Each structure stands twice: as C-alpha cells, then as structure tokens.
Amino acid sequence: MDKQKKSRVAKKEVIRLERESVIPILKPKLIMTLANLIVDATLLIEHGSDRAEFLKLCKRVEYMIRAWYILQFEDLMQLYSLFDPVHGAQKLEQQRLPPEEIDMLEHNFLTYLFQVMEKSNFKIATEEEIEVALSGQYLLNLPITVDESKLDKKLLGRYFSEHHLDDLPDFSDKYVIFRRGIGIDRTSDYFFMEKVDMIISRVWLKLLRFTRLERFFCRKSPAREKKDPKKNDEISPEAEADELSVERIRIENMELSVRNLAGKITIQEPTFDRIIVVYRRVGTATKPDRGIYVKHFKNIPMADLEIVLPEKKNPGLTPMDWVKFLASAVIGLVAVVGSLDMPKADLWVIIAILSTLIGYCAKTYFTFQQNMAAYQNLITQSMYDKQLDSGRGTLLHLCDDVIQQEKSRNLNTQVKEVIISFFILMEQGKATRQDLDLRCEELIKEEFNEECNFDVDDAVQKLEKLGIVTRDTIGRYYCVGLKRANEIIGTTTEELVLKAKQGALIP
C-alpha cells in the first residue's frame, strides 16, 4: 500500500488501498501445473525426465531460499539479544564493547529487521497514510499525543540518514510504524453522546461559516493542504483495478433523521490487520538506554491508530473544548449583565441563561469523562486483545510468518515467483526485465485466471544468486538447462536428511 486515496461520492467516504503483492495460487498446484505444461509441450520421451528435473529444481529452490532466511533470522535474533530491553543491557556490559561498535551493531540489527519486514510484506506507514488514517474518528474521541521527550531520536535518525526513504512521517526519527493487511471493524450502538456532539459541531460550524470565522478555527496544516487525498478527483480504471476500496462510515457524516438519532446505528472503519511499532526510550547522559522496543498489534482501526503510539501523554480537554467553555462563559456573562441592566430584570430569563450555561459546561465535562473511560478501555483492550507480542516474541512471529505461512509476501510467494520466472525463461527464451515481468503475469492469467502484481526484480535477483540465471551483453536474462541447474545448486541438506530418514525406515 504505497498509496492511499480517499474520495467521497454521495456522502460516502471511501479509502482506496493498493493491493498487496501476492500470488493467489497454492504452491503445489502451481508447480504441478507448470510441470504438466513441460510434459504436454512435446511427445518426446526425454521430456518425462525434464518434468522430474523440474520438480527436483522446485524443491531445491525452496530449500535454498528457506536456508537463506533461517541464517538471516539467526543473525537477527543474535543481534537483538544485545538490544533486548529486558536482558540486553546486561549482555552489553559483559562484552564491554566500545560505543562505536555498539552503534554499528545497532545499525546492522535495524538493517536486518527492515529487510525481514519487507519480506513479510510489512511497509512503513507514510506521511500520507498517517494523515488519511487519522483524518476521522472511530471509537477514540480524545486528542492523543506522544511525549517526545521520552523517546530517543538518535537511533532511527541515524539509520534514515543513511537509508533515505520518501514520504517518511515527521516522527520517523523517534518511532516507526509498520503496517500490513487490511480489514474492517464494525460497531453497533446508540452513541447518544456522540450524536449530541455531532449536532453541536454542525451548529458550531454553521455559526462559524455565517460569521466568516471558519478560516481562523478550521485551518488545515500545510502538510495536509499539500496532499489531501480527497482532492484526487479522478482515478484511472487501471489504478482502480489495482486497489482495494473500503468504505468508512462515521457519525460525523450521518444523515440527520429521527430513526438515526433515536435508534442504533452501525459505524464502520477500515483496520490495519497487523502493525509493528519500533522505538527506543531516551536514556540519561551517564547511562544511555540501548534497548529497542518492537511491539506487534493486530486489527487496529485506522482512525484509532493513536492507541499503538509509544509513550502517550494523558489526554485532556481539546483546545476547541476550552474555546467553547470560554465562549459560553463570555456569552452567558454578557447576557446576565445585560439582563441586570434592564429597568425590570426578569429573574426567570437570568435563571434560564445560567441553567443553559451550566448545562452546556456539564455536558462538555461529562462527555470528556466518557471519552476518558472509552480511552482507558481501548488501551486495556490493545494490551490484552490486540497486542500479539513484543520484543523477541515479535521477531519469532515474523520468522514463522515468512517461512511457514501461505499468506502475504513471504517465502512461499517468493518461491513461486522464482519458479515462474525460471519456467518462463526455460520455455520462452531470453527476456528483458520488463518482458519477463509481463510474461509471468500473462502466464498466471492464462493458466490460473488470476491477476497479481508480480515482483520480477526479487525473483531474478534470487535466480542470479543461485547461479542458474545470467544476463547477456545487452542485459537480457537467460537460464541454464534443467539438469545443469540442479547440478549447480547441488544436493541440499534437506534432501540428505530425507534420504537418510527413508533409508532408516527400510528394513
């Protein structure tokens, strides 16, 4: 999801998300279909051996890619043991490493971590995505801010100065939010207080527009004005086909009717299926904190993204609440003084004005208390229900996710991409990178009636690393023969173990 757009059509608020790069075909089905295509290509008997060699190559490719990732994860876990917030400081003291070497180890850990995140299909939330996510309200109706004085700026600031990425959020030097997958969360309730707030907000907005004071109280931030997703008026059919649209149903956009105001309503918010937050707490001048926090959450509503932020401040009344308080007090005071200056002051008018003023202030206060209770409930829920793991547990979860799971852009997806790329080069001959990408997508469409965003760059990089694909003088890719490819890779450890296991079973 490198791009997020939001549009409103007929009072509908829709968030458009780029589809993830996955091949929606089970690996066994893919391999057997391609193997049968080799057999069906000709009636010559030797192609039966080609089919066997192809099946052997597919196994060896998978074994090799899995071995690469296991080695990478071992390095990642070994590095993290030095920066584990619980026991890492003790291990660093035992090794007595100089600060420069610790900085280098930190950098290596972040490099490995970001690579694993990419292979797990996690992406860093960009400035635009954060703006879109936080542009609405869902269950959390309080302004949540981060106490930046408690967060370290050197660790991530140093990393991003050497690994520049576009459209990073302003807070990227203090903490990073990775996100993957999209879901939907729905909540049904009466939302009486929220409906009252919505009515008051609409009346307040109309009053500001009538008095032409809207530009002073409803000013957008420069970043938001620069790239407001709502202003993308036209979306091409090609782009729309590659995107997933999710409707956001909010109380703020609710149609005013007796049925909606008095009855139950259902609000809907797109969610980030998985979120991982990486940060470090600030240390002291004499004892710097080297611990790196890695926290893993699930099913976080976009509009309530603040609940995963680190080192949150206790929420208070918003500036707009204080403006309403002061404005109400001034208006009430002026009305009371004006009534007293009249020749015959009406006591009932004064009581009505004071009652309205006190009632409004009480309503604002109790709304704040209700929001505080909801906030505490959401924080508790995020800790017990929505937080999957933290630290070492998160990294082990990522390891399992990349190597074992069939979903997302993990090892299985990468194996499929490598196999398809090799098959195309083997059957159709030399191809440029663009041609290979197009041919692979056409094969998936023709044989499996599926569409996907094929990542040819990662596939050819692994094929070149295996030594079974090279480039000619003009940059076209070509592969070696099947038998030669198996000879180059050689017998893998998994094959030896399986052979020994089968031999032990034979009496």
Side-chain angles (χ1 to χ4, degrees), residues 168-416:
L168 284 173
D170 295 335
F171 55 74
S172 59
D173 60 333
K174 293 173 281 292
Y175 57 96
V176 178
I177 298 176
F178 292 90
R179 45 93 192 125
R180 185 188 73 189
I182 300 298
I184 295 177
D185 187 79
R186 296 183 180 91
T187 303
S188 297
D189 206 338
Y190 289 99
F191 299 109
F192 287 127
M193 298 299 291
E194 288 80 0
K195 292 173 184 177
V196 172
D197 279 341
M198 178 266 295
I199 295 173
I200 292 175
S201 297
R202 291 188 183 183
V203 173
W204 177 259
L205 185 59
K206 287 184 179 180
L207 178 62
L208 292 178
R209 286 175 179 171
F210 179 75
T211 57
R212 297 183 180 180
L213 297 174
E214 183 182 10
R215 56 181 177 177
F216 297 107
F217 292 95
C218 302
R219 188 177 298 173
K220 287 184 180 180
S221 64
R224 186 75 179 276
E225 290 177 352
K226 182 178 179 181
K227 50 169 81 173
D228 191 343
K230 291 182 183 180
K231 294 181 181 179
N232 294 309
D233 298 322
E234 295 184 1
I235 301 173
S236 63
E238 294 81 3
E240 198 164 339
D242 293 334
E243 291 174 341
L244 176 67
S245 298
V246 182
E247 184 181 357
R248 173 184 266 176
I249 303 175
R250 300 190 290 160
I251 296 177
E252 291 90 333
N253 302 331
M254 183 183 72
E255 181 182 354
L256 288 178
S257 66
V258 176
R259 180 180 178 182
N260 285 340
L261 292 175
K264 268 189 176 183
I265 61 171
T266 299
I267 56 177
Q268 175 176 295
E269 178 70 15
T271 63
F272 290 122
D273 186 54
R274 294 290 184 271
I275 280 184
I276 291 179
V277 183
V278 180
Y279 67 96
R280 167 182 281 170
R281 290 175 179 168
V282 70
T284 61
T286 57
K287 189 176 181 181
D289 190 346
R290 292 287 187 174
I292 299 177
Y293 293 84
V294 184
K295 296 192 175 182
H296 194 183
F297 301 88
K298 65 175 182 178
N299 303 329
I300 301 298
M302 290 186 180
D304 294 343
L305 187 63
E306 297 99 327
I307 63 177
V308 306
L309 299 180
E311 302 298 332
K312 293 179 284 292
K313 294 181 180 179
N314 288 329
L317 290 174
T318 66
M320 183 55 66
D321 288 333
W322 285 111
V323 169
K324 292 177 182 178
F325 261 130
L326 295 175
S328 302
V330 170
I331 292 172
L333 183 62
V334 171
V336 171
V337 172
S339 299
L340 292 175
D341 287 343
M342 293 176 62
K344 186 182 285 188
D346 192 338
L347 181 61
W348 291 110
V349 172
I350 297 174
I351 293 174
I353 294 172
L354 291 175
S355 300
T356 303
L357 177 62
I358 294 171
Y360 180 77
C361 293
K363 176 262 169 194
T364 304
Y365 173 78
F366 286 118
T367 299
F368 171 72
Q369 291 298 324
Q370 184 186 34
N371 290 339
M372 273 294 293
Y375 169 71
Q376 295 295 341
N377 182 53
L378 281 174
I379 294 298
T380 303
Q381 186 182 24
S382 70
M383 291 297 296
Y384 290 97
D385 297 339
K386 295 184 178 294
Q387 183 168 336
L388 290 175
D389 220 320
S390 63
R392 181 180 175 85
T394 297
L395 301 183
L396 291 173
H397 191 94
L398 284 174
C399 175
D400 179 71
D401 193 33
V402 170
I403 294 178
Q404 302 294 339
Q405 302 298 321
E406 189 70 32
K407 298 179 181 178
S408 305
R409 193 186 141 59
N410 50 32
L411 182 142
N412 278 301
T413 298
Q414 295 168 54
V415 168
K416 288 183 274 189

Side-chain angles (χ1 to χ4, degrees), residues 61-106:
V61 164
E62 181 178 356
Y63 292 152
M64 289 298 294
I65 295 177
R66 179 183 284 113
W68 291 342
Y69 282 114
I70 290 175
L71 291 175
Q72 187 176 17
F73 276 118
E74 288 178 353
D75 292 339
L76 180 69
M77 298 303 294
Q78 187 174 0
L79 283 171
Y80 186 71
S81 66
L82 300 175
F83 307 111
D84 186 340
V86 180
H87 304 293
Q90 184 179 356
K91 291 188 177 182
L92 285 175
E93 287 180 5
Q94 291 174 352
Q95 299 197 19
R96 300 185 180 276
L97 299 173
E100 296 78 13
E101 190 170 346
I102 297 177
D103 290 342
M104 183 186 68
L105 292 173
E106 287 176 351

Side-chain angles (χ1 to χ4, degrees), residues 12 18 37 57 62 113 128 135 146 164 181 199 223 264 302 334 352 488:
K12 284 188 177 181
E18 186 176 340
L37 289 177
L57 178 65
E62 181 178 356
L113 177 63
E128 182 181 359
S135 62
V146 173
H164 178 72
I199 295 173
K264 268 189 176 183
M302 290 186 180
V334 171
I488 291 173

Side-chain angles (χ1 to χ4, degrees), residues 1-3 17-24 117-123 178-183 241-244 271-275 302 401 406-410 413 417 451-455:
M1 184 179 69
D2 295 328
K3 217 164 142 195
L17 314 161
E18 186 176 340
R19 296 182 185 274
E20 296 177 347
S21 174
V22 295
I23 300 178
M117 290 292 188
E118 182 182 1
K119 299 309 177 187
S120 301
N121 215 24
F122 279 91
K123 295 184 179 179
F178 292 90
R179 45 93 192 125
R180 185 188 73 189
I182 300 298
D242 293 334
E243 291 174 341
L244 176 67
T271 63
F272 290 122
D273 186 54
R274 294 290 184 271
I275 280 184
M302 290 186 180
D401 193 33
E406 189 70 32
K407 298 179 181 178
S408 305
R409 193 186 141 59
N410 50 32
T413 298
E417 289 173 344
E451 294 183 358
C452 71
N453 182 16
F454 196 87
D455 187 0

Side-chain angles (χ1 to χ4, degrees), residues 27 53 173 183 191 289 303 316 374 400 433 458 476 478 505:
K27 186 176 59 187
E53 290 288 342
D173 60 333
F191 299 109
D289 190 346
D400 179 71
R433 190 200 67 81
D458 187 68
R476 293 179 301 176
Y478 67 95
L505 294 176

